[in-house]
């Protein structure tokens, strides 16, 4: 990367956009301007399931900044009814990933066939007093497919870690809650959108009473939403009085509220819970705001801290270092594995900005951190060479360019080595 271009871009971002906005612009800049369509989301894939005795389709969206040469891996979100909701989750990620949520691989599981069979949690023959003849109640089997076949397949083929989020709406929300109760370690985060907890006379609520009282949910998080469609025939029913109604018309919202209260009453189990009511949305529209609010809530711990101090050129180097190391520790504790606190591009950009502001020690710190967190990046070493060349330390500049050349067989580094040798 050309040094002058780096410095100009760095100053422009620092002065006009700030720290967080950088991520949004960086992601958007990855869009291929020559593509025929404005947006395509999700590559279709499938596998044959021995457990379900059928082929299952799913769609996979990899972050736009993925670079196979860098051996990058990402957390992964599994989205039920993925043929419908994967584009929505992707849209939210396009706006919020980087500063509010981590970049993630998105796996949209198709449920257009056998949906009720796979997502409902117990077998019923009647519903609200009427015969119910569709095949149902095989959620345990579908979860076994996800655990034993789909997740291993995704981990073999795609750049994912074992930090997983599950997202489901309606019956998918029911399945999400059921997984939280029966197999909580399968996912770290659970996003249940207007879940059908009225299923089978609120059977899952009865299970929740005992499970929440005895299960350890440390480092697990749940976001659950409720739409404003509280009573189909009585507009006088509101969130304030719905629990006093005893008709079947309000069983759906009452089940949701009751479940949330059970979870709140057992807060000592460590579960991070966020419940939100959307009075202006109905069952069919509530997924969009729920996905946005839910992902931001589930990853609240990921959001950047002390951005004002990082953006300020007056912050001492020691304080900046402490902020960066605190974030590293926090991310590692939540993810359960080593995770760089910031993208390589941002560390390099910060280094060049400080070079231009004549703050050499800060610049060096950022370049050193880039090498520490991204030791296989040729660009990280090349940036450090820029720093030493600016300090007229040609010997060290040459050393770091040679290291970049060892990592990447790029003519740019070879030419630069010759240029430095002539100085």
């Amino acid at each position: 990367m050309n040094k002058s271009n780096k410095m100009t871009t760095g100053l422009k971002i620092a002065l006009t956009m700030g720290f967080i906005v950088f991520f949004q612009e960086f992601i958007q800049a990855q869009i291929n301007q020559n593509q025929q369509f404005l947006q395509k989301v999700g590559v279709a894939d499938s596998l044959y399931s021995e457990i379900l005795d059928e082929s299952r389709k799913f769609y996979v969206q990899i972050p736009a900044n993925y670079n196979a040469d860098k051996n990058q891996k990402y957390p992964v979100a599994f989205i039920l009814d993925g043929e419908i909701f994967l584009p929505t989750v992707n849209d939210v990620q396009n706006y919020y990933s980087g500063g509010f949520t981590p970049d993630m691989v998105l796996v949209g599981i198709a449920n257009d066939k056998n949906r009720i069979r796979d997502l409902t949690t117990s077998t019923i023959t009647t519903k609200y007093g009427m015969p119910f003849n569709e095949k149902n109640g095989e959620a345990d089997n579908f979860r076994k497919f996800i655990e034993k076949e789909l997740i291993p397949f995704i981990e073999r083929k795609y750049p994912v870690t074992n930090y997983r989020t599950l997202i489901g709406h309606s019956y998918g929300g029911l399945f999400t809650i059921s997984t939280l109760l029966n197999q909580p370690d399968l996912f770290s985060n659970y996003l249940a959108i207007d879940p059908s907890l009225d299923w089978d006379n609120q059977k899952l609520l009865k299970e929740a009473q005992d499970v929440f009282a005895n299960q350890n949910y440390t480092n697990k998080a749940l976001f659950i939403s409720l739409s404003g469609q509280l009573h189909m025939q009585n507009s006088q029913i509101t969130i304030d009085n719905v629990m006093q109604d005893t008709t079947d018309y309000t069983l759906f919202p009452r089940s949701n509220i009751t479940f949330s209260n059970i979870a709140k009453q057992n807060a000592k189990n460590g579960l991070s819970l966020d419940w939100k009511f959307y009075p202006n949305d109905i069952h069919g529209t509530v997924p969009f705001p729920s996905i946005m609010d839910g992902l931001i809530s589930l990853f609240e711990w990921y959001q950047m801290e002390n951005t004002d101090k990082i953006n300020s050129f007056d912050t001492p180097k020691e304080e900046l270092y402490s902020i960066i190391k605190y974030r590293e520790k926090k991310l590692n504790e939540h993810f359960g594995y080593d995770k760089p606190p910031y993208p390589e591009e941002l560390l390099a950009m910060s280094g060049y900005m400080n070079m231009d502001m004549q703050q050499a020690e800060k610049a060096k710190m950022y370049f050193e951190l880039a090498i520490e967190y991204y030791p296989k990046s040729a660009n990280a070493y090349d940036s450090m060479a820029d720093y030493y060349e600016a300090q007229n330390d040609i010997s060290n500049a040459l050393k770091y360019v040679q290291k970049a050349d060892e990592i990447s067989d790029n003519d740019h580094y070879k030419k630069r080595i010759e240029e430095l040798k002539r100085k």
Side-chain angles (χ1 to χ4, degrees), residues 166-182:
L166 179 63
I167 302 173
H169 168 247
S170 193
Y171 286 145
L174 174 71
F175 181 91
T176 299
I177 296 294
S178 173
T179 303
L180 174 69
L181 294 176
N182 293 289

Side-chain angles (χ1 to χ4, degrees), residues 135-196:
K135 195 170 184 181
N136 64 88
E138 297 187 14
D140 287 345
N141 202 43
F142 188 62
R143 184 161 43 248
K144 184 178 179 183
F145 153 71
I146 292 175
E147 177 194 11
K148 302 294 185 182
E149 295 178 327
L150 181 59
I151 289 176
F153 181 88
I154 294 296
E155 290 182 342
R156 287 194 302 269
K157 188 172 181 179
Y158 295 98
V160 302
T161 69
N162 61 1
Y163 190 91
R164 311 182 197 104
T165 297
L166 179 63
I167 302 173
H169 168 247
S170 193
Y171 286 145
L174 174 71
F175 181 91
T176 299
I177 296 294
S178 173
T179 303
L180 174 69
L181 294 176
N182 293 289
Q183 212 165 342
D185 290 337
L186 197 54
F187 298 89
S188 297
N189 298 319
Y190 295 83
L191 203 169
I193 306 164
D194 223 14
S196 302

Side-chain angles (χ1 to χ4, degrees), residues 294-333:
L295 286 175
I296 293 172
S297 172
L298 292 172
F299 288 103
E300 184 178 4
W301 53 268
Y302 183 83
Q303 295 165 23
M304 296 181 187
E305 57 285 304
N306 297 305
T307 55
D308 56 334
K309 293 182 179 180
I310 292 180
N311 280 331
S312 173
F313 290 110
D314 294 328
T315 306
K317 183 190 77 170
E318 293 75 18
E319 187 173 1
L320 288 171
Y321 185 83
S322 178
I323 290 170
I324 294 168
K325 285 299 178 178
Y326 168 78
R327 179 167 178 78
E328 176 189 4
K329 182 175 182 292
K330 182 180 69 169
L331 296 190
N332 292 350
E333 287 175 352

Side-chain angles (χ1 to χ4, degrees), residues 106-362:
L106 309 179
V107 180
I109 306 172
N111 291 105
D112 52 332
K113 297 179 181 178
N114 300 313
R115 181 176 187 271
I116 295 177
R117 180 199 73 181
D118 291 340
L119 299 182
T120 54
T121 51
S122 54
T123 303
I124 64 172
T125 56
T126 62
K127 186 178 181 183
Y128 292 108
M130 300 292 291
F132 192 84
N133 299 317
E134 292 190 61
K135 195 170 184 181
N136 64 88
E138 297 187 14
D140 287 345
N141 202 43
F142 188 62
R143 184 161 43 248
K144 184 178 179 183
F145 153 71
I146 292 175
E147 177 194 11
K148 302 294 185 182
E149 295 178 327
L150 181 59
I151 289 176
F153 181 88
I154 294 296
E155 290 182 342
R156 287 194 302 269
K157 188 172 181 179
Y158 295 98
V160 302
T161 69
N162 61 1
Y163 190 91
R164 311 182 197 104
T165 297
L166 179 63
I167 302 173
H169 168 247
S170 193
Y171 286 145
L174 174 71
F175 181 91
T176 299
I177 296 294
S178 173
T179 303
L180 174 69
L181 294 176
N182 293 289
Q183 212 165 342
D185 290 337
L186 197 54
F187 298 89
S188 297
N189 298 319
Y190 295 83
L191 203 169
I193 306 164
D194 223 14
S196 302
L197 294 169
D198 58 328
W199 181 262
D200 198 3
N201 295 314
Q202 303 178 310
K203 184 176 180 180
L204 217 58
L205 270 64
K206 302 176 181 68
E207 295 178 17
Q209 290 276 10
D210 180 63
V211 173
F212 278 151
N214 297 286
Q215 179 67 258
N216 182 358
Y217 282 101
T218 302
N219 293 329
K220 304 296 177 185
L222 168 66
F223 180 91
I224 181 170
S225 66
L226 174 65
S227 73
Q229 204 168 12
L230 302 178
H231 194 299
M232 297 292 290
Q233 298 182 355
N234 185 355
S235 61
Q236 301 303 308
I237 296 295
T238 68
I239 194 66
D240 296 319
N241 61 25
V242 65
M243 295 304 287
Q244 282 71 58
D245 188 84
T246 58
T247 67
D248 285 346
Y249 290 109
T250 59
L251 185 61
F252 187 100
R254 286 189 287 112
S255 301
N256 185 309
I257 295 169
T258 300
F259 175 85
S260 300
N261 288 337
I262 293 170
K264 292 173 184 176
Q265 291 161 8
N266 290 277
K268 64 181 183 298
N269 64 19
L271 179 67
S272 176
L273 173 70
D274 191 0
W275 180 88
K276 188 165 184 178
F277 175 56
Y278 294 86
N280 298 319
D281 280 283
I282 61 175
H283 189 66
T285 66
V286 76
F288 190 93
S290 297
I291 289 170
M292 180 182 69
D293 293 339
L295 286 175
I296 293 172
S297 172
L298 292 172
F299 288 103
E300 184 178 4
W301 53 268
Y302 183 83
Q303 295 165 23
M304 296 181 187
E305 57 285 304
N306 297 305
T307 55
D308 56 334
K309 293 182 179 180
I310 292 180
N311 280 331
S312 173
F313 290 110
D314 294 328
T315 306
K317 183 190 77 170
E318 293 75 18
E319 187 173 1
L320 288 171
Y321 185 83
S322 178
I323 290 170
I324 294 168
K325 285 299 178 178
Y326 168 78
R327 179 167 178 78
E328 176 189 4
K329 182 175 182 292
K330 182 180 69 169
L331 296 190
N332 292 350
E333 287 175 352
H334 279 275
F335 282 124
Y337 50 81
D338 290 342
K339 172 75 174 176
Y342 302 111
E344 177 193 349
E345 294 81 5
L346 186 57
L347 292 170
M349 197 74 72
S350 299
Y352 283 106
M353 286 189 291
N354 279 279
M355 277 179 61
D356 198 68
M357 296 297 294
Q358 305 301 313
Q359 296 189 336
E361 288 304 309
K362 288 185 187 178

